[in-house]
Amino acid sequence: MTSIDLVVVGSCNMDLISYVPRLPVPGETLHGSKFSMGFGGKGANQCVMAARLGAGTVMIAKVGDDMFGKNYIQNLQENEINIDHVSRTAEASTGVAPIAVNDKGENSIIIVSGANLLLSSQDVHSAENVIKNASLLICQLEVAMDTTLEAMKIAKSHNVTTVLNPAPAQSLPDDLYKNCDVIVPNETEAEILTGIKVTSVEDSQKAIECLLGRGCTTVIITLGRPSPI
């Protein structure tokens, strides 16, 4: 194995995108103008981008024993990502995200997590050797919370820096904050985690202090628009 810069524990989803003139109302059938498929999932997307930037990357994930899973593993390989710890299961389908996009660019998304939720603490433990030799572990919240927490605990026990992208945002156990070196929420996620609406420099500072108080070492709040924050 080449040197490991980072390990990503996270999701693999197939995006199934339909383009329609407008979003359908309940019970309505519409003709679409175009269909496309893409490789998604926050974890896999982060791993692919890091690999394309030249990092030595390992993906820890689970996909279904189906066409989507086969294609996903091939995509990771084509991006020179180590897939020794990407397993396949017959117990659930590969995660999918059917997406409808209208002419205004507005969308409606359904996420079926499937095999992502079967990624277990045992799967993470089987990858401890690669985690302990990495410089960085990156997690999100699209696999089971217990799995994410176990991965971060293993990394911390080996002095590996842990990074959490808390999306989709939800209530987090105290241990997750305590095992997180760097947490990177956007404005909306920061509000969900702290209850503080981030609309100013002062608000962002309050949210940062709140997250630091829960045990994180570093907090980075990303902005989705030009802002003085």
Side-chain angles (χ1 to χ4, degrees):
M1 180 185 294
T2 58
S3 62
I4 305 169
D5 295 307
L6 64 91
V7 173
V8 177
V9 176
S11 57
C12 297
N13 289 328
M14 285 299 301
D15 294 337
L16 311 175
I17 310 166
S18 298
Y19 296 87
V20 291
R22 57 182 175 78
L23 300 179
V25 299
E28 182 181 20
T29 300
L30 288 179
H31 283 288
S33 59
K34 187 173 68 171
F35 174 78
S36 64
M37 293 192 295
F39 297 101
K42 296 182 187 301
N45 284 346
Q46 291 167 358
C47 197
V48 168
M49 291 310 299
R52 290 180 179 178
L53 289 170
T57 56
V58 176
M59 185 76 199
I60 302 175
K62 194 176 290 287
V63 298
D65 188 15
D66 50 31
M67 177 186 70
F68 290 154
K70 178 182 178 181
N71 291 344
Y72 215 114
I73 288 174
Q74 181 179 342
N75 178 65
L76 295 174
Q77 288 177 308
E78 289 174 354
N79 281 280
E80 300 184 353
I81 293 168
N82 182 291
I83 59 160
D84 289 349
H85 296 280
V86 178
S87 56
R88 299 175 71 174
T89 178
E91 296 180 22
S93 67
T94 299
V96 295
I99 305 169
V101 182
N102 68 15
D103 289 343
K104 297 179 181 179
E106 299 167 331
N107 61 45
S108 178
I109 305 174
I110 300 171
I111 296 176
V112 183
S113 297
N116 290 308
L117 296 183
L118 298 183
L119 185 68
S120 67
S121 297
Q122 183 177 349
D123 293 319
V124 170
H125 273 286
S126 71
E128 182 170 0
N129 192 53
V130 296
I131 293 174
K132 74 179 184 181
N133 286 303
S135 298
L136 198 69
L137 174 83
I138 300 178
C139 296
Q140 322 76 33
L141 300 176
E142 289 190 330
V143 300
M145 187 71 74
D146 288 347
T147 303
T148 298
L149 177 56
E150 193 63 28
M152 296 180 75
K153 284 182 175 180
I154 290 171
K156 287 289 286 183
S157 72
H158 294 290
N159 296 314
V160 175
T161 300
T162 58
V163 179
L164 176 66
N165 171 212
Q170 56 194 278
S171 177
L172 302 180
D174 291 342
D175 275 357
L176 203 61
Y177 290 109
K178 294 174 183 176
N179 285 279
C180 179
D181 291 310
V182 184
I183 189 168
V184 191
N186 62 24
E187 297 151 289
T188 301
E189 292 154 0
E191 179 181 354
I192 292 171
L193 293 175
T194 67
I196 299 168
K197 190 172 182 64
V198 178
T199 59
S200 68
V201 175
E202 291 76 16
D203 293 337
S204 65
Q205 187 60 44
K206 290 177 183 177
I208 288 169
E209 290 174 357
C210 179
L211 293 171
L212 290 173
R214 294 178 185 176
C216 302
T217 304
T218 302
V219 180
I220 301 170
I221 298 179
T222 61
L223 306 178
R225 63 185 188 281
S227 169
I229 296 175

